[in-house]
Amino acid sequence: MNHQLSIFTQYRQFYIVDKDAGLEHNTPNPDFWNNSAFSDRLAIDNGILGVAVENDEAIANIEIELLESKITDEDCADFDHVVEGSLEIKSGILQIQDCPNSNVELEINVVPSWYRIRISSLNFNKANQENPEDKYIIKIWKENYSERKVFKRWHRS
């Protein structure tokens, strides 16, 4: 199942959230966007992932794909940055939310479980144009919890 959307978001981030996480997460907390999270472009807390985008106040172009099994292809050559993190979806509803209002931009029904989420980002050099072309490809599959992992790191020129 694939979903494509473009959302207006601010503060260089949007969220992937378990619907029932509610107020359990505290995204303004400095521990959420700590140095590692900024460097890895992925913040993680109970029931929420914060995805860093390259533009501050603009449209984030997002493509989401639910997979039946783990990704075996780890070729990152076409992307600027690739990172994975784990998220437990207890509610059975995964949400994409903007920042800072946490407006629900998309809801996807899933089986309650732990999920691995890979964010592959591209076109960072075109992110700050009038019509931003940066894109965030999100692939999601069931997998037990594991630590955040960066496959390719973006370095600004």
Side-chain angles (χ1 to χ4, degrees):
M1 178 185 315
N2 288 350
H3 300 274
Q4 293 190 13
L5 65 153
S6 295
I7 67 170
F8 180 79
T9 194
Q10 298 176 53
Y11 302 104
R12 296 189 176 291
Q13 61 193 288
F14 67 88
Y15 308 121
I16 303 170
V17 183
D18 174 12
K19 181 179 181 176
D20 285 350
L23 299 176
E24 291 179 33
H25 55 78
N26 185 5
T27 56
N29 182 332
D31 290 336
F32 184 66
W33 281 110
N34 60 32
N35 289 339
S36 294
F38 272 117
S39 176
D40 295 346
R41 303 180 69 85
L42 184 66
I44 301 173
D45 198 2
N46 185 23
I48 186 167
L49 299 180
V51 178
V53 298
E54 189 58 19
N55 51 49
D56 187 27
E57 289 188 30
I59 298 298
N61 300 300
I62 304 167
E63 180 179 312
I64 301 170
E65 184 177 1
L66 295 175
L67 305 174
E68 293 294 321
S69 60
K70 179 180 181 172
I71 295 175
T72 56
D73 176 8
E74 294 185 8
D75 182 14
C76 301
D78 293 337
F79 300 102
D80 294 324
H81 189 87
V82 181
V83 62
E84 282 183 8
S86 293
L87 180 66
E88 185 176 20
I89 309 284
K90 295 178 183 178
S91 67
I93 300 174
L94 177 144
Q95 296 180 331
I96 302 297
Q97 298 179 0
D98 76 344
C99 176
N101 301 317
S102 298
N103 291 325
V104 176
E105 302 289 342
L106 176 70
E107 285 190 335
I108 302 171
N109 293 320
V110 297
V111 174
S113 184
W114 275 100
Y115 285 86
R116 194 68 176 164
I117 301 178
R118 178 180 290 183
I119 300 101
S120 302
S121 308
L122 65 149
N123 294 332
F124 281 174
N125 59 338
K126 297 178 180 180
N128 293 303
Q129 303 176 146
E130 184 175 334
N131 295 309
E133 293 181 31
D134 51 323
K135 188 171 186 178
Y136 305 88
I137 300 171
I138 301 169
K139 296 193 177 190
I140 304 168
W141 64 94
K142 274 199 232 178
E143 184 175 298
N144 290 333
Y145 172 86
S146 59
E147 293 292 320
R148 176 177 48 213
K149 181 176 181 184
V150 177
F151 291 91
K152 184 176 183 181
R153 188 174 302 280
W154 168 252
H155 298 285
R156 285 184 176 82
S157 312

